[in-house]
Amino acid sequence: MSSLLIKHGTIVTASDSFQGDVYIEGEKVVQLGASLDNSADQTIDAHGCYLFPGGIDAHTHMELPFMGTFSSDSFESGTLAGLHGGTTSIVDFAIQTQGDSLEAAIQEWHRKADGHAVGDYAFHCAVTDFNDETRKEIPRIIDHHGINSFKTFMAYKGALMVDDRQMFELMKELVKHGGIITSHCENGDMVDHLVQKHLEEGKTEPRYHVLSRPAICEAEASGRVIDLAWQAGCPNYIVHMTCEEALERVRTATLRNQRVLVETCVQYLLLDESMYFQDGFEGAKVVMSPPLRKPKDQEALWAAINQNLVHHVATDHCPFCMDQKEMGIDNFSRIPNGAPGIEHRVELMYSEGVHKGRISLNKFVEVTSTLAAKIFGLFPRKGTIAVGADADIIIFDPDVQHTISAKTHHMNCDYSAYEGWQVQGKTRSTVLRGMVAVDDGQALVGAGYGQYLPRGKFNPLY
Ligand SMILES: [Zn+2]
């Protein structure tokens, strides 16, 4: 069994920071100490660097068939880009085709990922058609496939959206078997109405994307799913929350001691809706749902991280190249929704969060890794640096500055919404299950190194 010793780092977890060494055998951390002198096959000097648990991005879409095309990163290119930035595990969405089974979706996502992914991966199961047949599949999905999280879309009417009855019945079923409901919260009917109204008025530019999806659509749906989950007694996670109005619904729920788990994405913390109002077709680069919001919403989201109202910062990584975006050049509603993000999430959260004094180092680890592992049944195998855990470690140099550009990133996308951004701090090396996967920009592992991660049932004690 090969061994690796990482010396002289500052080990940071969600709760602790200390100077020390990490000794790894095979895929696992076997010893932590102030000064270890184990002989190892390989020794890395991490002087001046932080050692963070490998990043977990709990919201990605690789090779997603969507809006008449496919997202442009495969499991291979997308997870490798993640490793370059320090993300070692993803949770992608196996999305049911309406009229088809959940099992078929999961098989399809295994076909895309198995033998291809470079980083580790798990799946959420997105339920787009909840009926008596689907209901029967739930226990097997949880117990056999190791998938505890089930997503519902409250928007994308006619393609992915379920109604409240389907959602409520799904929740009741999940309570029985140890699952958790996750939801895309936007009022799909309200959005549909506004899209149609704008198109009828000849308003076709990218800016009408955000003008068709006001914050109230998201706040209403967030409040509704929180109430349904409360009534069903079902653990509840809201994906990609963007705005103050929706956070207010979460805060209200805490007054009755309801635990609502909330994800936001790095772009909602850092980018705002003014990008939709740029000249020409530029705004298409950030057409995603929900849309970017106002600066006051960014401030509310940063505050909510520190108030423990937001638990995870993901990406909703769903890249499309500009020639794909151009499917909507005459009609904003045909612009494929999504943007690239997986590669820079960890570095941006460090630079804009820790370096700029908005969040602590421990909070940074909590929202980029630890809580996602706890919520989705991967802890303590993933999400921390501890004896017995997988040796997934970012060696992060806080002194290196770099500039984000589509010319140098590893995602399969010909633009970056962060083009030209100066970033403080860089992932120097990424260790995945005891192997140095990326070192100084060089990939040292390839397609098929990534493993599927079956997950445990939702554990309310974490
Ligand atoms: Zn998504």
Side-chain angles (χ1 to χ4, degrees):
M1 202 185 296
S2 67
S3 54
L4 171 65
L5 180 63
I6 308 175
K7 287 191 70 73
H8 310 305
T10 301
I11 298 164
V12 184
T13 68
S15 54
D16 300 303
S17 309
F18 56 98
Q19 286 285 323
D21 304 343
V22 185
Y23 178 66
I24 297 156
E25 274 181 5
E27 300 193 335
K28 303 286 183 187
V29 173
V30 297
Q31 203 179 349
L32 299 174
S35 182
L36 301 178
D37 52 10
N38 313 40
S39 72
D41 299 327
Q42 186 185 359
T43 302
I44 296 175
D45 184 354
H47 181 83
C49 290
Y50 291 117
L51 305 182
F52 298 132
I56 298 172
D57 188 339
H59 193 151
T60 68
H61 301 282
M62 306 303 173
E63 277 181 78
L64 174 69
F66 191 45
M67 297 180 77
T69 184
F70 284 82
S71 60
S72 57
D73 261 320
S74 63
F75 274 84
E76 181 180 347
S77 64
T79 56
L80 181 57
L83 287 167
H84 276 278
T87 290
T88 48
S89 301
I90 62 167
V91 194
D92 204 270
F93 291 86
I95 301 184
Q96 178 190 23
T97 302
Q98 291 187 340
D100 222 335
S101 67
L102 301 177
E103 181 71 29
I106 292 161
Q107 294 308 333
E108 173 66 4
W109 257 259
H110 273 296
R111 190 191 59 71
K112 295 176 208 248
D114 296 357
H116 301 288
V118 190
D120 285 357
Y121 58 98
F123 300 137
H124 304 285
C125 181
V127 181
T128 62
D129 188 2
F130 190 69
N131 53 46
D132 286 339
E133 292 308 306
T134 326
R135 185 192 317 273
K136 289 183 205 139
E137 293 186 80
I138 299 291
R140 188 179 141 82
I141 304 290
I142 295 176
D143 297 328
H144 176 75
H145 290 293
I147 295 176
N148 75 2
S149 45
F150 293 78
K151 182 179 184 187
T152 55
F153 291 90
M154 300 170 82
Y156 301 120
K157 200 173 161 74
L160 302 170
M161 180 170 150
V162 293
D163 63 27
D164 291 348
R165 177 167 186 162
Q166 288 178 296
M167 202 159 59
F168 188 63
E169 292 191 5
L170 171 61
M171 288 174 180
K172 303 278 273 190
E173 202 60 28
L174 295 181
V175 172
K176 286 187 217 159
H177 304 289
I180 174 171
I181 190 125
T182 79
S183 347
H184 173 128
C185 297
E186 286 184 296
N187 184 313
D189 286 303
M190 216 191 296
V191 168
D192 254 26
H193 167 81
L194 289 169
V195 168
Q196 204 185 331
K197 170 182 166 298
H198 285 131
L199 290 175
E200 280 168 11
E201 292 168 358
K203 296 169 174 170
T204 61
E205 299 95 326
R207 69 187 57 187
Y208 293 101
H209 175 72
V210 62
L211 295 172
S212 299
R213 308 183 96 100
I216 197 79
C217 290
E218 184 184 334
E220 185 281 328
S222 301
R224 181 156 35 104
V225 79
I226 288 169
D227 284 345
L228 292 175
W230 175 249
Q231 180 65 26
C234 187
N236 163 23
Y237 177 97
I238 297 178
V239 303
H240 53 42
M241 188 170 282
T242 69
C243 61
E244 191 177 22
E245 291 86 340
L247 281 170
E248 211 41 62
R249 311 293 170 119
V250 177
R251 203 181 322 270
T252 301
T254 66
L255 300 178
R256 62 188 174 198
N257 205 23
Q258 182 179 1
R259 188 178 182 207
V260 180
L261 298 160
V262 176
E263 166 196 290
T264 189
C265 296
V266 66
Q267 62 270 27
Y268 300 120
L269 292 163
L270 301 180
L271 307 176
D272 71 65
E273 67 174 20
S274 63
M275 293 182 82
Y276 297 112
F277 296 87
Q278 300 168 92
D279 289 341
F281 196 58
E282 276 295 290
K285 291 178 177 175
V286 285
V287 165
M288 60 184 74
S289 296
L292 302 175
R293 302 294 187 193
K294 298 177 167 46
K296 62 115 181 157
D297 296 298
Q298 299 174 337
E299 295 315 312
L301 288 167
W302 282 111
I305 290 174
N306 286 321
Q307 292 158 349
N308 300 318
L309 291 174
V310 167
H311 305 88
H312 181 53
V313 180
T315 58
D316 198 5
H317 177 78
C318 191
F320 296 98
C321 292
M322 284 314 286
D323 62 341
Q324 295 176 290
K325 289 278 184 183
E326 278 163 14
M327 292 164 64
I329 196 132
D330 298 318
N331 177 341
F332 69 89
S333 76
R334 298 222 175 97
I335 300 169
N337 280 214
I342 190 169
E343 185 167 348
H344 299 115
R345 178 186 65 118
V346 168
E347 291 171 344
L348 283 168
M349 285 303 291
Y350 179 85
S351 184
E352 295 290 320
V354 178
H355 179 67
K356 292 200 172 164
R358 288 163 161 144
I359 57 173
S360 72
L361 270 175
N362 304 109
K363 181 58 92 173
F364 158 82
V365 170
E366 186 179 290
V367 296
T368 56
S369 180
T370 311
L371 280 182
K374 290 184 173 181
I375 293 166
F376 294 117
L378 289 167
F379 192 83
R381 180 180 173 190
K382 303 291 192 189
T384 192
I385 298 176
V387 172
D390 278 5
D392 297 354
I393 295 170
I394 308 173
I395 302 175
F396 191 88
D397 190 335
D399 293 329
V400 173
Q401 295 176 336
H402 61 116
T403 305
I404 294 178
S405 173
K407 292 190 191 74
T408 49
H409 73 200
H410 300 84
M411 298 175 285
N412 185 32
C413 191
D414 53 4
Y415 74 90
S416 169
Y418 306 95
E419 186 70 37
W421 277 48
Q422 301 283 116
V423 179
Q424 180 70 43
K426 192 170 192 331
T427 295
R428 188 180 103 187
S429 311
T430 304
V431 178
L432 172 55
R433 282 180 282 103
M435 287 280 284
V436 180
V438 169
D439 183 42
D440 219 1
Q442 297 301 310
L444 303 179
V445 294
Y449 183 68
Q451 281 187 359
Y452 176 67
L453 304 170
R455 303 182 283 116
K457 293 185 184 202
F458 178 75
N459 183 348
L461 300 180
Y462 280 140

